[in-house]
Amino acid sequence: MNIPFWEESYKVDDVFTFGIEPNETLVEFEKFFHKSDKILDVGCGDGKNSLYLAKKGFTAVDAFDISENAINKLLRLARQADVNINAWVDNLCDFRFEKEYKLVISFGTLHFVKKENWRKFIKDAKENTAIGGLHIIQLFTDKVPASPDIAPYAIGMASDEEIKELYSDWNIIQFKSYIFEDEHPGVPKHLHASNKIVAQRIR
Ligand SMILES: C[S@@+](CC[C@H](N)C(=O)[O-])C[C@H]1O[C@@H](n2cnc3c(N)ncnc32)[C@H](O)[C@@H]1O
């Protein structure tokens, strides 16, 4: 069975395949939230965004990922930093919301499940977001074919701008469609096409 390239780095605490800096859009919008607001990080990986929020004093950060290695690492890093993150192993295709969130974030994850699954996830997440709350979602689109490192797993790449239509009843504060160059150990430089949306529930 194929194992995604990021799993090796999830086993160790000093290698970060996806970097250690939080996503810049999260940094841009964090000021709109109270430290006690409920936040959900979907496909959190080894947790650069959740850890950033917890270290900034956010006290109600939930985070899940399908990778046990990722969650174990995130919990170790949270312990070392003396911050609290409620992190658990879960599959976003099966996830059932049990609380209402003020902020839902997901970076680089949704395209790893079938389109019907991530579209359903977004629908559920919208219903379980407080009025005034935000979603910040970044996912890959098929404007550029999946690079060999992710091709076996990227089974649900979005069409360009598809995600906008899912938020047509929310206020779309920011939308970006862009192509960027990426590189990982053992994989030649390659391109990804991406959409990133920041949307606010207005009613
Ligand atoms: C490219 S990584 C991004 C990690 C993190 N969001 C970040 O920005 O560093 C994608 C993550 O999605 C997770 N993932 C893939 N399929 C998933 C699923 N069905 N449910 C939850 N997480 C999933 C992977 O385990 C991986 O950690």
Side-chain angles (χ1 to χ4, degrees):
M1 199 181 83
N2 267 338
I3 295 178
F5 63 88
W6 51 79
E7 283 294 333
E8 279 308 308
S9 67
Y10 286 166
K11 288 181 194 157
V12 293
D13 289 359
D14 55 353
V15 182
F16 295 88
T17 297
F18 306 114
I20 50 168
E21 295 301 324
N23 188 277
E24 80 265 11
T25 311
L26 178 62
V27 176
E28 188 182 339
F29 284 91
E30 65 169 274
K31 56 180 170 289
F32 296 109
F33 296 93
H34 299 295
K35 298 292 195 230
S36 59
D37 282 344
K38 295 188 178 70
I39 297 173
L40 177 64
D41 184 356
V42 179
C44 57
D46 48 14
K48 63 181 182 196
N49 295 301
S50 286
L51 281 165
Y52 169 78
L53 290 168
K55 287 178 188 172
K56 289 293 291 270
F58 288 90
T59 55
V61 180
D62 286 355
F64 74 83
D65 196 285
I66 202 166
S67 163
E68 203 173 332
N69 289 325
I71 295 301
N72 288 339
K73 178 175 178 182
L74 169 54
L75 289 171
R76 282 196 304 275
L77 295 174
R79 232 176 354 257
Q80 283 160 26
D82 200 18
V83 294
N84 190 37
I85 296 173
N86 178 33
W88 70 96
V89 175
D90 216 331
N91 182 342
L92 72 92
C93 303
D94 305 327
F95 180 68
R96 297 283 170 272
F97 282 82
E98 285 174 2
K99 54 175 107 155
E100 188 177 70
Y101 289 96
K102 201 70 197 282
L103 172 64
V104 177
I105 59 175
S106 183
F107 297 105
T109 294
L110 296 186
H111 48 266
F112 292 124
V113 303
K114 286 184 187 157
K115 198 177 266 209
E116 69 212 51
N117 290 122
W118 64 254
R119 287 179 67 103
K120 159 104 174 41
F121 179 83
I122 287 181
K123 184 172 171 290
D124 291 348
K126 284 173 68 187
E127 285 167 6
N128 289 280
T129 300
I131 292 173
L134 282 197
H135 284 190
I136 306 176
I137 308 280
Q138 180 257 323
L139 83 174
F140 287 170
T141 74
D142 58 12
K143 215 172 171 181
V144 168
S147 51
D149 56 332
I150 62 161
Y153 319 110
I155 56 176
M157 292 207 300
S159 314
D160 192 33
E161 303 206 9
E162 174 178 357
I163 196 157
K164 265 169 104 174
E165 147 213 332
L166 297 183
Y167 287 97
S168 58
D169 53 345
W170 283 30
N171 178 25
I172 297 177
I173 298 174
Q174 192 183 95
F175 175 78
K176 290 180 183 167
S177 173
Y178 54 100
I179 291 173
F180 66 98
E181 195 174 61
D182 205 3
E183 199 174 11
H184 323 280
V187 183
K189 277 189 185 167
H190 52 277
L191 297 176
H192 294 301
S194 187
N195 281 175
K196 194 191 285 186
I197 194 162
V198 181
Q200 182 174 38
R201 182 170 181 181
I202 44 177
R203 57 176 178 266

